Amino acid sequence: MVWLGFAMAFYGAILLLVYTHHSGLMDFNSPPLWWHIAYGLAFATFSAAMTFTVLAVFLRFARSSLWLLDAMRPSAYGIYLLHFIFLIWLQYIVYDPAFPAFVKFAIVFVGTLSMSWALTALLRKIPVVARTI
């Protein structure tokens, strides 16, 4: 929670600096040096805090058990290697139909995950491939 608090505080600083930049209080095309320094420091600190926040969240939930993720663990590397094939083609397939964006997202997400997981499971039956993925 501490890292998340730091991240949110510096995100607020970034928003304040961007608002100041766009509000007309300074020249939009050439903001002063203090603004560049403040924005750079706020952005770098926000990025570092978010990095530690993500690590803290993963460490917090590392011991919890989710059956779907636990079942996916042996095939995770293969899914990572193969998912892009299905991702590209499914996006191409759902591009033209007039579905809402969330429906397209659901089709691509579920289709990509299930097909790459199934292909990984099939490929893991080949002994040479199973040692790699």
Side-chain angles (χ1 to χ4, degrees), residues 101-119:
F102 185 76
V103 172
K104 290 182 178 186
F105 161 76
I107 291 169
V108 171
F109 179 78
V110 172
T112 298
L113 180 60
S114 60
M115 287 188 280
S116 60
W117 195 354
L119 183 58

Side-chain angles (χ1 to χ4, degrees), residues 34-50:
W34 69 264
W35 186 90
H36 284 287
I37 293 170
Y39 185 80
L41 287 173
F43 186 80
T45 309
F46 166 74
S47 298
M50 278 306 297

Side-chain angles (χ1 to χ4, degrees), residues 12-124:
I14 290 170
L15 290 178
L16 180 68
L17 288 165
V18 168
Y19 173 76
T20 304
H21 185 242
H22 290 278
S23 67
L25 297 175
M26 63 181 72
D27 183 17
F28 183 78
N29 294 323
S30 62
L33 180 61
W34 69 264
W35 186 90
H36 284 287
I37 293 170
Y39 185 80
L41 287 173
F43 186 80
T45 309
F46 166 74
S47 298
M50 278 306 297
T51 300
F52 287 118
T53 300
V54 169
L55 290 174
V57 168
F58 278 108
L59 286 174
R60 165 66 178 84
F61 293 107
R63 290 183 181 86
S64 64
S65 179
L66 299 170
W67 67 270
L68 182 63
L69 295 179
D70 291 340
M72 194 185 309
R73 186 173 296 167
S75 300
Y77 186 60
I79 293 169
Y80 166 72
L81 290 176
L82 299 172
H83 83 280
F84 203 68
I85 300 164
F86 302 108
L87 179 72
I88 294 298
W89 280 102
L90 285 173
Q91 285 179 350
Y92 180 72
I93 289 169
V94 301
Y95 181 73
D96 282 334
F99 299 139
F102 185 76
V103 172
K104 290 182 178 186
F105 161 76
I107 291 169
V108 171
F109 179 78
V110 172
T112 298
L113 180 60
S114 60
M115 287 188 280
S116 60
W117 195 354
L119 183 58
T120 300
L122 286 173
L123 290 174
R124 288 175 54 96

